[in-house]
């Protein structure tokens, strides 16, 4: 008998009897209460699940949208207080540094993830409150020192707040993120456009704290209670969440781990290219921020960047809704690059007369890519079995770093262009060259397709198209050395899709949806408790509830059900 089979026995045998007893009790209760037949009960069972999913969607969209609206407020502070403009980069640099520290610590995995999550939930609200007080106070008192302090506090809050929202995104499917991220962009634009120089003072405090409150509410719904995050941790939970790799069987540990890059390993080449591209795109987009001195015809809507958020958010949602399960992130990537190139061509030709329109086109292309990156982050953290705090920590750090470099370059180029030392069209052509290098050398289409690898058409019984053949050839060239990992990732992708379908169809809770994935991979009770940072008793209760709802009595029966289930 294999080590994996031995490892399963402690879960299966004690739970089997309890499951049968609970199933009998449930049957008796259903008979006493006049429970409807199975087909009718299925319809009624799905309604609360759909309501819960809708509530989660609204929480994430509103909370993340408010988070980014507050960042827009902070980045727009120099418009109200011009003296803050030279120190603007401090806000972005502080956010990048904090996000990088989170990623560095969470790279170790294990108990470090739970400890970092609790630390972020305890520190972030104080940083948000401090920033919300200092920045408006600095504007009213015309104090550069207070503004610098406010920027530092704001960066300490902004970086972790986005990382924590990324952690919330990872508790849902990639398709959920494909709808939620652009919807949040529309919320961001709406809040920023409705604010004025007076209402934004209130926004500096209310908006970030409201976003954090929604974050806490969503965390509580997905298995991280408030008392666990900010109160004293449960001794049993802490003890169970400690790394147990030293006592785990080597064979079991090898077979149970899904394919993907593990905690403590190097960043995969494809993900590293994505991070570098994020930094480059952010730099290029922010490079012309302070160079636009002409009249903005979209000022009544909040300016070109705000209008771009609305346009891109609506277009992104329409594309995802139209594509459905066939949504292909590479299509968005193909769309974003030429739009940004067109914007820089417009700058080279029309910067003096139509600068605002040129910047609008650039922002539209950038926002397509920015929203896409959040979808790819969720894909990486779910399908590659990497913790979300690590992935989103890196992403936010590179994004903020690119924005800081772009902001600094913008001030330098503004001075050079105003003095006649550099022409705006020369800068635009250099930006186009950078985009071409990124598109063909750093992040080609095949790499994006590899990062968002989907189940093959053969598994769905479809004939491959010429486009899919070209994409397959591109992927083969980019990842010839990783064919084994590609097959494993496809298997992991299929298992997680089937688990999601089972969770939806059988009415599993969000935490049970996480547990069933680990069960489908063959994880033991102790490992499930360790990976989810919960007590073993709590993990056993979740497993028993899953067995009861699925009407199975052994882990192998659950695995067979997941493999054969068609959502």
């Amino acid at each position: 008998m294999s080590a994996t089979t031995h490892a399963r026995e402690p879960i299966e045998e004690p739970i089997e009897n309890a499951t049968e007893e609970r199933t009998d009790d449930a049957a008796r209760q259903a008979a006493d209460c006049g429970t409807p037949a199975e087909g009718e009960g299925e319809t009624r069972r799905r309604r609360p699940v759909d309501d819960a999913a809708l509530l989660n969607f609204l929480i994430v969209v509103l909370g993340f949208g408010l988070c980014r609206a507050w960042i827009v407020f902070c980045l727009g502070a120099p418009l109200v207080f011009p003296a803050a403009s030279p120190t603007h980069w401090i806000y972005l640099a502080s956010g990048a540094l904090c996000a990088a520290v989170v990623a560095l610590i969470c790279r170790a995995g294990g108990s470090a993830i739970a400890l970092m999550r609790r630390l972020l939930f305890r520190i972030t609200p104080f940083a948000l409150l401090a920033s919300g007080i200092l920045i408006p106070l600095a504007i009213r008192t015309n104090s550069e020192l207070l503004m610098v302090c406010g920027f530092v506090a704001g960066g300490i809050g902004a970086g972790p707040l986005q990382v924590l929202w990324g952690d919330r995104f990872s508790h849902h499917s990639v398709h959920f993120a494909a709808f939620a991220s652009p919807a949040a962009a529309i919320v961001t634009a709406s809040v920023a456009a409705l604010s004025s120089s007076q209402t934004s003072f209130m926004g500096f405090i209310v908006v970030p704290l409201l976003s954090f409150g929604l974050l806490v509410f969503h965390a509580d719904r997905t298995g991280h209670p408030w008392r666990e995050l900010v109160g004293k941790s449960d001794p049993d939970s802490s003890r169970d969440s400690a790394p147990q790799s030293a006592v785990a069987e080597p064979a079991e540990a090898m077979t149970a781990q899904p394919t993907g890059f593990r905690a403590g390993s190097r960043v995969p080449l494809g993900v590293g290219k994505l991070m570098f591209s994020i930094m480059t795109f952010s730099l290029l987009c922010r490079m012309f921020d302070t160079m636009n001195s002409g009249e903005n015809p979209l000022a009544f809507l909040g300016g070109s960047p705000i209008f771009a958020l609305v346009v891109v958010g609506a277009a992104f949602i329409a594309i995802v809704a139209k594509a459905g399960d066939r949504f292909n992130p590479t299509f968005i990537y193909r769309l974003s690059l030429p739009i940004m190139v067109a914007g820089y061509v417009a700058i080279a030709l029309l910067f003096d007369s139509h600068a605002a329109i040129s910047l609008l086109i650039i922002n539209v292309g950038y926002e397509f890519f920015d929203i896409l990156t959040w979808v790819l982050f969720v894909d990486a953290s779910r399908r590659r079995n990497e913790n979300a705090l690590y992935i989103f920590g890196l992403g936010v750090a590179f994004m903020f770093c690119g924005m800081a470099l772009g902001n600094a370059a913008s001030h330098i180029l503004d001075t050079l262009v105003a003095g006649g030392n550099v022409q705006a069209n020369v800068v635009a052509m250099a930006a186009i060259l950078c985009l071409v290098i990124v598109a063909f050398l750093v992040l080609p289409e095949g790499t994006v397709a590899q990062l968002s690898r989907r189940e093959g058409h053969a598994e769905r019984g479809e004939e491959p198209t010429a486009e899919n053949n070209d994409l397959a050839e591109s992927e083969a060239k980019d990842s010839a050395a990783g064919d084994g990992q590609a097959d494993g990732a496809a298997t992991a992708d299929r298992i997680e899709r089937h688990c999601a379908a089972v969770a939806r169809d059988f009415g599993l809770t969000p935490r049970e949806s996480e547990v069933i994935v680990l069960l489908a991979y063959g994880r033991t009770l102790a490992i499930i408790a360790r990976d989810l940072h919960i007590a073993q008793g709590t993990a056993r209760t979740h497993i028993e509830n899953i067995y009861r709802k699925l009407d199975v009595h052994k882990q192998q029966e659950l695995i067979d059900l997941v493999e054969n289930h068609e959502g």
Side-chain angles (χ1 to χ4, degrees):
M1 188 176 292
S2 65
T4 304
T5 306
H6 281 298
R8 289 177 183 167
E9 291 175 355
I11 298 180
E12 296 171 357
E13 295 180 359
I15 294 177
E16 180 176 354
N17 295 332
T19 306
E20 292 176 349
E21 294 175 1
R22 294 192 180 194
T23 304
D24 295 338
D25 293 338
R28 285 193 296 269
Q29 291 175 6
D32 295 338
C33 299
T35 303
E38 182 178 353
E40 184 180 353
E42 182 77 13
T43 303
R44 294 189 179 182
R45 188 188 304 120
R46 288 191 182 188
R47 186 175 297 113
V49 176
D50 294 339
D51 292 344
L54 178 60
L55 180 58
N56 284 332
F57 179 81
L58 294 177
I59 293 172
V60 172
V61 168
L62 182 59
F64 185 59
L66 290 175
C67 166
R68 289 209 152 183
W70 169 66
I71 294 175
V72 171
F73 289 157
C74 294
L75 294 178
L79 298 177
V80 184
F81 182 39
S85 186
T87 59
H88 205 189
W89 63 271
I90 296 177
Y91 176 85
L92 298 167
S94 300
L97 180 61
C98 289
V101 170
V102 171
L104 182 63
I105 296 176
C106 291
R107 183 170 181 257
S111 60
I113 300 172
L115 293 175
M116 176 53 66
R117 183 181 288 112
R118 286 197 294 268
L119 183 63
L120 291 179
F121 269 93
R122 295 176 185 182
I123 292 178
T124 302
F126 294 102
L128 299 178
L129 183 60
S131 173
I133 294 174
L134 290 175
I135 293 179
L137 186 61
I139 295 175
R140 289 188 180 276
T141 60
N142 200 31
S143 172
E144 294 185 25
L145 178 60
L146 284 179
M147 182 60 73
V148 170
C149 295
F151 278 163
V152 172
I156 294 174
L161 186 61
Q162 287 202 95
V163 174
L164 287 174
W165 272 116
D167 188 36
R168 296 300 98 207
F169 267 90
S170 68
H171 283 70
H172 302 283
S173 66
V174 176
H175 208 63
F176 177 97
F179 278 105
S181 187
I186 296 177
V187 172
T188 298
S190 302
V191 174
L194 292 175
S195 66
S196 63
S197 58
Q198 289 78 27
T199 58
S200 62
F201 284 111
M202 182 66 68
F204 278 116
I205 299 178
V206 175
V207 170
L209 292 181
L210 180 57
S211 175
F212 183 77
L214 291 170
L215 178 74
V216 173
F217 182 49
H218 185 273
D220 184 72
R221 290 174 55 83
T222 53
H224 299 291
W226 169 252
R227 58 180 180 81
E228 174 188 314
L229 295 172
V230 301
K232 293 183 178 180
S233 58
D234 184 4
D236 294 334
S237 177
S238 300
R239 184 167 53 251
D240 294 333
S241 63
Q244 302 178 14
S245 56
V247 297
E249 295 85 356
E252 192 272 346
M254 290 295 293
T255 57
Q257 180 71 28
T259 299
F261 54 101
R262 300 175 176 85
S265 64
R266 294 182 179 179
V267 178
L269 184 60
V271 176
K273 290 179 178 180
L274 177 62
M275 299 301 176
F276 180 82
S277 300
I278 291 169
M279 182 175 67
T280 304
F281 275 56
S282 299
L283 188 156
L284 295 177
C285 183
R286 299 276 78 85
M287 194 165 58
F288 285 87
D289 277 354
T290 60
M291 295 176 61
N292 180 21
S293 57
E295 182 180 355
N296 189 345
L298 301 172
F300 68 99
L301 295 174
S304 299
I306 301 300
F307 183 70
L309 280 173
V310 177
V311 171
V312 173
F316 204 108
I317 292 174
I319 292 171
V320 176
K322 179 68 175 178
D325 291 336
R326 295 177 178 271
F327 169 66
N328 188 356
T330 57
F331 174 76
I332 301 295
Y333 186 60
R334 294 175 195 164
L335 197 61
S336 65
L337 283 172
I339 291 177
M340 287 194 71
V341 170
Y344 284 113
V345 171
I347 283 182
L349 300 177
L350 307 170
F351 184 74
D352 293 334
S353 57
H354 298 86
I357 301 301
S358 302
L359 294 179
L360 172 62
I361 299 174
I362 293 175
N363 276 284
V364 167
Y366 171 75
E367 293 302 336
F368 268 118
F369 183 76
D370 180 58
I371 294 174
L372 176 63
T373 56
W374 282 81
V375 178
L376 295 177
F377 289 163
V378 174
D379 204 329
S381 62
R382 289 181 61 84
R383 297 183 182 179
R384 295 172 177 268
N385 195 42
E386 184 59 54
N387 71 78
L389 292 180
Y390 176 57
I391 286 291
F392 284 94
L394 285 178
V396 173
F398 275 88
M399 180 184 66
F400 270 30
C401 183
M403 293 173 67
L405 293 175
N407 183 263
S410 178
H411 288 286
I412 296 173
L413 291 175
D414 187 26
T415 302
L416 294 176
V417 171
N421 298 315
V422 175
Q423 298 297 320
N425 58 353
V426 174
V427 178
M429 298 307 294
I432 293 175
L433 178 61
C434 291
L435 288 175
V436 171
I437 293 174
V438 169
F440 286 96
L441 298 180
V442 180
L443 194 68
E445 232 179 70
T447 302
V448 176
Q450 180 186 358
L451 289 170
S452 58
R453 186 180 291 109
R454 305 177 67 83
E455 292 184 351
H457 290 265
E459 294 181 3
R460 296 192 294 263
E462 300 174 2
E463 293 295 330
T465 62
E467 179 182 356
N468 293 326
N469 287 334
D470 294 340
L471 181 59
E473 291 177 3
S474 177
E475 290 182 5
K477 292 178 181 179
D478 290 336
S479 57
D483 291 340
Q485 288 190 350
D487 294 338
T491 301
D493 185 9
R494 184 180 66 255
I495 291 175
E496 292 198 12
R497 284 178 178 271
H498 285 209
C499 286
V502 170
R504 180 185 67 246
D505 294 342
F506 287 87
L508 301 186
T509 65
R511 178 60 93 180
E512 290 168 358
S513 301
E514 296 176 347
V515 173
I516 193 175
V517 174
L518 298 176
L519 287 172
Y521 281 124
R523 295 294 182 90
T524 64
L525 172 64
I527 292 180
I528 291 174
R530 182 197 69 189
D531 289 352
L532 297 180
H533 311 293
I534 58 178
Q536 289 194 17
T538 303
R540 177 178 294 277
T541 300
H542 288 313
I543 296 173
E544 290 176 351
N545 291 336
I546 292 172
Y547 280 18
R548 173 175 55 81
K549 292 179 180 181
L550 271 59
D551 193 22
V552 298
H553 310 295
K554 294 182 179 181
Q555 190 171 12
Q556 187 58 49
E557 293 180 11
L558 181 143
I559 294 174
D560 294 339
L561 186 149
V562 169
E563 285 287 342
N564 298 323
H565 187 79
E566 295 294 338

